Amino acid sequence: MNRLPLHEDLYLIAHDQSGKPLIHQSSMALGLAGAVLLEQAISGRVTVAGGHVTVSGDAPVPMADGDVRFLIKKEADGLYDRTREALLASGVLVRVSRRRLGMLPYTRYQLADIASVVRASSGVRSAVEGWKPPDARCAALCGLVAVLRLEAELYLDQPANRLVGRLREIASAAPPVVGELVAVVDTLVAEAAVAVYR
């Protein structure tokens, strides 16, 4: 099976087997948007440096300082639903409708096969345990898992703080664009969490 895009792997890690999200949807959307930009940067389609995004092969996108933040926020709008629909279309997720108490209908989007989430998180687990050196994509996923505090979904027998520290260490040892974009997502997620209390 072909590797899923980075943001789809992150989506799978961020849900339990029943399809229930493990973190707030706004935080997840920011993480997904960061993953989209990270994958484009790692593949060389865009260059990110100092808060600026340049589309490779084209003229620089006219952006001022901080526009990486704007781009991630803009991309996050509706990305959660689009990611879920893409995973449904590819057969990774299935739509399940049920009733609570026999009356209240609800719909969940469950894994068609547990192997999808195992594949999504296997590189991260391998990097943390030192079985395989992480590539830039894996390091990016490590950083995003740490930022979104999804470390428990890796099912590794380590204290949470130590595991998060190791995930952040892997991300910071990657090419600079990984650390820069993970840090931006971290800041945006923290800002979104504080905004709830305003």
Side-chain angles (χ1 to χ4, degrees), residues 26-195:
S26 64
S27 295
M28 192 181 319
L30 291 166
L32 295 173
V36 168
L37 190 54
L38 273 159
E39 189 151 58
Q40 291 176 355
I42 290 166
S43 68
R45 289 182 290 228
V46 300
T47 303
V48 179
H52 299 280
V53 175
T54 305
V55 178
S56 298
D58 293 351
V61 177
M63 293 186 172
D65 287 341
D67 275 329
V68 167
R69 293 168 48 97
F70 172 77
L71 189 60
I72 289 174
K73 285 181 180 180
K74 182 178 176 187
E75 181 66 27
D77 188 35
L79 184 58
Y80 179 85
D81 293 334
R82 291 192 310 271
T83 303
R84 183 188 63 222
E85 292 304 316
L87 288 165
L88 277 167
S90 65
V92 173
L93 296 179
V94 293
R95 184 178 283 115
V96 177
S97 297
R98 295 204 172 113
R99 291 187 178 274
R100 285 189 185 100
L101 304 172
M103 297 184 301
L104 305 170
Y106 71 94
T107 301
R108 283 265 169 85
Y109 302 90
Q110 298 179 348
L111 288 169
D113 180 3
I114 189 72
S116 299
V117 75
V118 171
R119 275 191 296 273
S121 61
S122 65
V124 175
R125 285 195 308 274
S126 293
V128 169
E129 295 289 346
W131 300 327
K132 182 178 168 188
D135 59 8
R137 183 186 188 281
C138 178
L141 191 53
C142 287
L144 293 171
V145 166
V147 164
L148 298 176
R149 295 305 308 254
L150 294 167
E151 70 280 353
E153 299 313 299
L154 301 176
Y155 300 103
L156 294 171
D157 189 23
Q158 292 186 25
N161 287 341
R162 190 166 116 206
L163 182 52
V164 168
R166 178 69 181 126
L167 291 166
R168 288 182 182 276
E169 180 183 297
I170 291 167
S172 67
V177 69
V178 171
E180 181 176 350
L181 288 175
V182 166
V184 170
V185 172
D186 195 8
T187 301
L188 291 173
V189 167
E191 288 173 0
V194 170

